[in-house]
Amino acid sequence: MKQKISKELGREALTALLQTRSPLGPLKVMAKHVGRFFQIPLPGFRPYVVHGHEAARKVLVTDRDKLLWRNTDPVTDLLQRGILITDGEEHDHYRSLMETPFHPSQLTHYTEMMIRQTEHVASAWKDGETVDMLVESRKIALLIIMQTLFSRDARNDIPQIWKPILKSIEYISPGAWILWRKIPRFGFRQPLRELDDYLFGIIEERRKGKEEIKKGDFLGHLIDAGLSDRIIRDQMVTMLIAGHDTSTALLAWVFAMLGQHPDVHKKLVEEVDALEKSPLLDQVIKESLRLYPPIHIGNRRVAEKIEFAEGKIPAGERMFYSIYLTHRDPEIWENAEQFCPERFAHGRKTPPMSYIPFGGGPRACIGAAFGQAEARVVLAHLLKHFTFEFTGHPIHPHMGATLEPRPGVRMRVARRAVEGGTLRLRSGQEWKVESHQ
Ligand code: HEM
């Protein structure tokens, strides 16, 4: 397929870039005018973009052997031999080692920890204070991943690891390195080393048996499998980033959506108060994932020529499958641009692979069940025990390592009335809570 980008299309794409302050704008313009298969015409970087449920099936299932996950980019530099970016037998070996800690049967063990860490972060909020739910969600998601996967209660570690984590995320976020791979990147070496030292420290403590041993946790599985410290570090950093940055974005987007749709927010709080399991909460999470999938694009290198209905991509090229565009396909989704949680109320009616927030096929997200359970637990807990009042500022999606609501989601928070100063969880556990009023 020879694709000619007319001057008008170029101009429209540029206008969209300026208006939306994000490459998502031009991607939408290309999808509208060129279709489900196009090449991004940047100097020195001309990746192909495909989208739609048929392309997703090819990329994720039928033709996935023609594609490589491993690339030459900062993600690979950071994760090294992490499961997310290895191929073939090596990938399958890591994946088989990790299935048990992520098995849905494990999720109930994690619920208590998820609530505890959520409550820890929320207990620092003062009544009437305005907090940024992007930042607060990150704290919650970080503490949860550290405790559930590495049995590490990281509350006191946050000041030490906060900057290294943010720098790691910045390191892998799109930037000038896309056009100039070897561009000097300053200010990363030290924080990335600090993160490594922190993770190697956890591995060492566990090997020495200093840390309380939780045989069945993720770290325990990797150690028992006889992996080297280096490979374990690669899997830990992968899980730390892939497992918390995505949940951070999801939680923050849900707050953004609730802030912008007060009717849904009100109904949701009523339902969460009244029911053990709120169907609307599930729908809100699903719809947020549809409109703002934290991983909005899948990145591949083409190992063998791959053919789509609309064109071919030769071996050696870079290819993206766009989850964002697939989720907004107007031929599939009615009022595709609208936030409408009820569309998920009566089961899914769209074709397979048209809704892929967790990817699909054999390499679908290993944390899909975990991530959704976490979102349900954290949100139900917060909505039940706090009020959230959106301050009404503009929000736009930012393409970082994940798709994030920027400049954050500022909300006024206050703890809802608690009987006799004691917060009682469904599990029977109790917390004494201080009122900051
Ligand atoms: C809202 C939460 C999450 C979202 C939206 C999400 C999304 C995704 C997507 C789209 C993929 C496939 C990427 C591709 O095809 O290139 C993926 C893969 C992956 N995710 Fe998640 N994820 C989430 C949570 C998690 C969590 C909690 C963990 C771990 C604790 C995790 C670990 C992984 C790993 C290791 C892979 C690679 C799997 C493989 O290649 O075998 N994710 N995720």
Side-chain angles (χ1 to χ4, degrees):
M1 185 199 82
K2 268 266 165 283
Q3 168 193 300
K4 270 190 96 165
I5 305 289
S6 67
K7 270 196 183 142
E8 293 90 287
L9 186 53
R11 218 173 291 127
E12 196 179 331
L14 187 63
T15 312
L17 177 68
L18 297 173
Q19 275 172 355
T20 59
R21 297 159 74 187
S22 149
L24 293 172
L27 278 180
K28 270 191 188 170
V29 169
M30 295 293 283
K32 185 169 157 209
H33 294 293
V34 187
R36 293 198 174 91
F37 180 100
F38 53 87
Q39 203 173 1
I40 299 179
L42 289 174
F45 183 65
R46 301 175 62 83
Y48 289 81
V49 178
V50 299
H51 59 100
H53 63 102
E54 280 156 0
R57 169 172 299 286
K58 246 184 198 302
V59 172
L60 297 170
V61 185
T62 52
D63 286 22
R64 71 185 191 102
D65 291 340
K66 295 179 179 167
L67 303 166
L68 294 173
W69 272 247
R70 200 166 178 82
N71 268 297
T72 49
D73 59 22
V75 180
T76 307
D77 293 346
L78 179 73
L79 306 186
Q80 296 285 316
R81 310 217 67 88
I83 176 177
L84 188 73
I85 41 107
T86 43
D87 290 295
E89 280 180 22
E90 183 179 12
H91 164 272
D92 297 349
H93 176 55
Y94 300 147
R95 179 109 191 184
S96 69
L97 296 178
M98 297 177 194
E99 294 289 359
T100 310
F102 284 106
H103 193 269
S105 62
Q106 294 300 306
L107 294 177
T108 45
H109 301 311
Y110 300 146
T111 309
E112 201 59 53
M113 302 180 202
M114 290 172 175
I115 296 177
R116 181 176 284 277
Q117 297 297 5
T118 305
E119 185 52 35
H120 171 72
V121 172
S123 63
W125 301 339
K126 297 190 174 40
D127 283 347
E129 180 186 16
T130 298
V131 295
D132 180 352
M133 288 312 293
L134 179 60
V135 175
E136 300 305 303
S137 299
R138 185 177 303 287
K139 291 183 201 158
I140 294 172
L142 252 182
L143 291 179
I144 289 179
I145 214 75
M146 293 291 301
Q147 187 164 33
T148 51
L149 298 195
F150 314 147
S151 301
R152 174 87 168 194
D153 192 344
R155 294 173 205 196
N156 298 329
D157 304 347
I158 288 278
Q160 180 195 348
I161 57 172
W162 191 252
K163 186 172 173 206
I165 296 275
L166 292 185
K167 287 305 264 185
S168 309
I169 291 168
E170 187 188 333
Y171 184 71
I172 58 175
S173 296
W177 58 263
I178 290 184
L179 301 179
W180 180 16
R181 177 69 183 93
K182 294 280 172 222
I183 193 168
R185 303 191 69 196
F186 300 108
F188 290 102
R189 194 182 302 176
Q190 176 70 14
L192 296 194
R193 186 177 304 144
E194 284 171 19
L195 184 61
D196 275 0
D197 289 348
Y198 176 73
L199 295 176
F200 281 125
I202 295 178
I203 301 171
E204 196 187 336
E205 280 182 15
R206 181 65 72 88
R207 286 204 194 275
K208 285 187 182 153
K210 275 194 195 160
E211 189 90 333
E212 185 196 344
I213 303 287
K214 295 263 174 31
K215 273 246 176 235
D217 75 357
F218 173 84
L219 177 56
H221 270 84
L222 299 189
I223 289 183
D224 289 349
L227 300 183
S228 69
D229 285 5
R230 190 74 227 171
I231 296 289
I232 294 177
R233 170 266 174 213
D234 295 348
Q235 312 314 323
M236 285 173 86
V237 84
T238 300
M239 290 301 162
L240 196 57
I241 303 298
H244 105 274
D245 200 30
T246 45
S247 298
T248 300
L250 169 57
L251 294 170
W253 276 116
V254 168
F255 280 105
M257 293 297 98
L258 295 181
Q260 291 175 349
H261 300 85
D263 48 332
V264 178
H265 188 171
K266 184 168 177 286
K267 206 169 148 203
L268 180 60
V269 172
E270 284 165 10
E271 209 181 276
V272 167
D273 278 351
L275 301 176
E276 178 92 19
K277 274 203 169 111
S278 154
L280 182 57
L281 179 57
D282 252 0
Q283 294 157 25
V284 165
I285 292 171
K286 285 202 173 92
E287 180 68 342
S288 300
L289 283 169
R290 184 187 70 83
L291 277 178
Y292 298 104
I295 304 288
H296 60 94
I297 220 153
N299 185 356
R300 302 286 189 272
R301 203 142 50 85
V302 179
E304 192 188 315
K305 183 179 82 179
I306 178 165
E307 268 181 64
F308 295 87
E310 303 84 353
K312 302 178 190 113
I313 309 180
E317 297 289 341
R318 186 70 79 94
M319 190 206 79
F320 296 122
Y321 80 93
S322 171
I323 297 174
Y324 178 88
L325 293 175
T326 302
H327 284 182
R328 290 175 183 242
D329 190 333
E331 285 180 23
I332 301 292
W333 302 95
E334 214 175 295
N335 299 324
E337 301 293 320
Q338 304 301 318
F339 177 73
C340 175
E342 306 87 74
R343 72 172 82 239
F344 288 102
H346 308 290
R348 203 180 64 189
K349 294 183 226 80
T350 58
M353 295 284 167
S354 53
Y355 181 69
I356 44 170
F358 297 98
R363 288 192 68 160
C365 176
I366 198 168
F370 181 106
Q372 288 168 98
E374 177 187 20
R376 278 194 298 270
V377 169
V378 172
L379 290 164
H381 183 78
L382 289 178
L383 293 171
K384 223 172 150 42
H385 299 288
F386 293 85
T387 55
F388 295 88
E389 197 189 324
F390 181 45
T391 54
H393 62 85
I395 291 176
H396 68 273
H398 169 80
M399 263 193 198
T402 55
L403 200 61
E404 274 183 2
R406 287 281 179 99
V409 187
R410 295 182 58 74
M411 298 189 114
R412 255 185 302 279
V413 288
R415 193 181 282 278
R416 297 172 67 186
V418 230
E419 257 173 68
T422 302
L423 176 62
R424 213 163 269 115
L425 300 184
R426 287 205 174 95
S427 62
Q429 192 145 7
E430 294 183 348
W431 270 277
K432 284 265 171 254
V433 285
E434 268 176 54
S435 172
H436 293 282
Q437 231 156 14

